[in-house]
Amino acid sequence: MELDSDACYRAVRTRDDRFDGRFFTGVKSTGIYCRPVCPAPTPHQKHCVFFSCAAAAQEAGFRPCLRCRPEVSPDTPAWHGSSATVARALRLISEGALDDNSVDTLAARVGVGERHLRRLFTEHLGASPVSVAGTQRVLFAKKLLLETALPITDIAFAAGFASVRRFNHVMRDTYQRSPRELRGRSAAASTALTLTLPFRPPYNWTALTRFLAPRAIPGVEVVTPEKYIRTIRIDNIAGRIEVAPVAGANHLAARIEMQNLRPLARVSDRLRRLFDTGAPVQDIESHLRKDPRLAPLIKAQPGLRVPGAWDPFELAIRAILGQQVTVKGASTLAGRLVEKFGEDTAYGRLFPIPEALAQADLSSAGLPKARANSIRAMAEAFASVSPPQTADDLRKLPGIGDWTAQYIAMRAFNEPDAFPSKDLGLLKAGGPDVAVNAEAWRPWRAYAAMHLWINL
């Protein structure tokens, strides 16, 4: 991606926190890359080269700064502005798609050739898929070393490394220090596993919980103004998470309990998507504020995010249940599914897996035949080797119209331009021509929808 060198250097010289995560600075005289807010003395501009993401800096041979810690930087907006294909590939990489498989397999999953996917990554991110995956592992491992008291062996596997030996080699090669040296005296004294979820301010926690609370699934989620709590499952590993804002800090705190910590990197990624911590909120609001209808709404609710979903399948089922019923009614129906078909664990009850609902007698949960058929079809689709990834994929399923597909894409797939234009709330708030007016809101129509909904 093209970056304005003069503008980037001005941000570095002033340590402007509005640019934190928007780019990284490689310092040619030291071989280190930093965040724009790094407290180290500002290097001369002739020694600086700028990258749109950490993976691009590492692919160019720079190593992460130990002072400003790139691993705690907010997500780079370059990833949010990428093509739909790159965005889907990034989601799969975060879910571990390159831990045991090749780039060719990843390309097949997103429906393009390997060479084309590599070209798209170079064009949009300045780094290859393998570099992105490797940088994510390294930075997450560094985060765990400094924020938790986990044994180093557990950190190696939780970050996605295939072996402790490989982990030690990569960390020493990247930081020129061993994992034990990196941890030093910064290891957490408590055994409680709490991770930070950095965001770019402002962050409207109040509006987010106000949206999530009435949509909480009984038995699975608890949402209060102070915190969000739920049971989780990844690869049949159960757990529980509790997320809350931290006063005066630009991050959320996520407390995580799990039977096994190996999927920890994926848990962290899902939480970032659920709470939309990577949104370039200032850019989004600057664009949407050009519309006089949205400007006062943004002024009333700055920092608004689009709530994602812990699990795309769970959100898809919740969306089907919400067809032609109230928000409260959909939550009640979802609670019935959890009660009848969910699994009980030491952490609480879990939402049913796709395979369970694909075979379940849904009429016993009081669902009409048509809706039961839609849920069964959705469950079969998610249980397949190629689960839905886009709104177009969803619309091919029985009983899934444009409203449902767009709503799922907006929250479950984190599509920033998804827009359920036929939603009654959007029609009420935005008028009958909301779909036409929304064209000016691209590529952030999902955020415009949230502003319209939250101000109803």
Side-chain angles (χ1 to χ4, degrees), residues 15 216 362 366 369 422:
R15 295 183 175 85
L362 298 174
K369 183 177 180 180
K422 297 180 181 179

Side-chain angles (χ1 to χ4, degrees), residues 251-265:
H251 65 257
L252 306 177
R255 189 176 189 279
I256 302 166
E257 302 173 67
M258 296 189 76
Q259 295 168 328
N260 185 313
L261 293 172
R262 290 208 173 194
L264 196 54

Side-chain angles (χ1 to χ4, degrees), residues 37 41 45 53 55 82 107 136 138-139 153 168 181 258 281 292 305 307 310 313 341 360 363 370 388 422 424 428 454:
V37 295
Q45 187 171 0
C53 65
S82 303
Q136 286 184 0
V138 166
L139 294 183
T153 298
N168 288 329
E181 290 171 326
M258 296 189 76
V281 67
R305 308 298 168 118
W310 167 257
F313 172 68
F341 308 114
S363 62
K422 297 180 181 179
L424 295 179
K428 179 181 178 181
I454 211 72

Side-chain angles (χ1 to χ4, degrees), residues 11 14-22 36-37 74 200-201 250 282:
T14 58
R15 295 183 175 85
D16 192 333
D17 61 6
R18 294 176 301 171
F19 292 88
D20 191 14
R22 297 175 66 89
V37 295
R200 194 171 290 102
N250 292 340
Q282 293 172 350

Side-chain angles (χ1 to χ4, degrees), residues 92-422:
L92 292 172
I93 288 173
S94 296
E95 285 286 321
L98 290 182
D99 288 352
D100 301 308
N101 296 295
S102 66
V103 176
D104 189 53
T105 302
L106 174 65
R109 291 183 66 180
V110 296
V112 298
E114 179 186 6
R115 290 181 62 186
H116 184 56
L117 184 64
R118 291 181 185 276
R119 183 184 65 78
L120 287 175
F121 266 67
T122 300
E123 176 186 344
H124 290 275
L125 304 179
S128 69
V130 170
S131 292
V132 169
T135 300
Q136 286 184 0
R137 291 189 200 104
V138 166
L139 294 183
F140 188 68
K142 174 73 165 10
K143 182 181 177 74
L144 294 181
L145 283 169
L146 294 185
E147 293 187 8
T148 78
L150 288 175
I152 286 178
T153 298
D154 290 347
I155 289 175
F157 292 117
F161 288 91
S163 68
V164 177
R165 182 178 179 180
R166 177 63 179 164
F167 167 66
N168 288 329
H169 173 77
V170 171
M171 297 302 286
R172 183 177 287 279
D173 186 58
T174 302
Y175 290 99
Q176 299 185 347
R177 300 185 187 186
S178 71
R180 292 190 186 280
E181 290 171 326
L182 285 169
R183 169 165 272 177
R185 298 180 180 178
S186 300
S190 171
T191 56
L193 182 55
T194 301
L195 295 181
T196 60
L197 305 174
F199 57 75
R200 194 171 290 102
Y203 192 98
N204 198 326
W205 173 266
T206 300
L208 182 136
T209 53
R210 201 170 86 213
F211 181 86
L212 289 176
R215 294 166 175 80
I217 299 175
V220 173
E221 297 174 289
V222 176
V223 185
T224 71
E226 293 78 28
K227 60 183 63 176
Y228 173 91
I229 305 169
R230 68 160 294 142
T231 55
I232 61 172
R233 169 170 38 200
I234 292 184
D235 293 340
N236 291 323
I237 299 173
R240 180 178 181 271
I241 58 101
E242 181 177 309
V243 181
V246 179
N250 292 340
H251 65 257
L252 306 177
R255 189 176 189 279
I256 302 166
E257 302 173 67
M258 296 189 76
Q259 295 168 328
N260 185 313
L261 293 172
R262 290 208 173 194
L264 196 54
R266 293 165 60 189
V267 172
S268 177
D269 179 70
R270 289 197 187 193
L271 289 175
R272 290 198 302 270
R273 295 180 186 280
L274 171 57
F275 292 97
D276 198 19
T277 55
V281 67
Q282 293 172 350
D283 293 345
I284 294 169
E285 293 182 351
S286 176
H287 176 70
L288 297 180
R289 204 179 287 118
K290 297 174 184 177
D291 190 318
R293 287 160 294 197
L294 294 180
L297 305 184
I298 294 171
K299 183 178 181 179
Q301 296 288 351
L304 192 62
R305 308 298 168 118
V306 176
W310 167 257
D311 178 69
F313 172 68
E314 177 187 293
L315 192 281
I317 299 304
R318 178 65 176 70
I320 293 173
L321 295 173
Q323 295 170 342
Q324 300 177 346
V325 299
T326 64
V327 170
K328 183 177 179 180
S331 294
T332 300
L333 291 173
R336 288 183 193 169
L337 292 181
V338 171
E339 184 179 353
K340 293 190 69 67
F341 308 114
E343 180 184 344
D344 203 15
T345 72
Y347 302 98
R349 206 143 181 89
L350 299 172
F351 193 84
I353 60 175
E355 291 80 0
L357 291 187
Q359 303 296 326
D361 176 14
L362 298 174
S363 62
S364 64
L367 296 178
K369 183 177 180 180
R371 195 160 306 165
N373 289 339
S374 295
I375 289 176
R376 188 171 294 106
M378 185 69 72
E380 290 172 351
F382 272 93
S384 71
V385 294
S386 299
Q389 297 186 65
T390 67
D392 287 340
D393 293 341
L394 294 166
R395 277 189 286 262
K396 297 174 184 177
L397 301 175
I400 305 301
D402 188 64
W403 177 89
T404 308
Q406 289 291 329
Y407 182 77
I408 295 172
M410 175 182 174
R411 294 194 55 201
F413 301 152
N414 304 105
E415 295 287 353
D417 202 38
F419 191 73
S421 58
K422 297 180 181 179

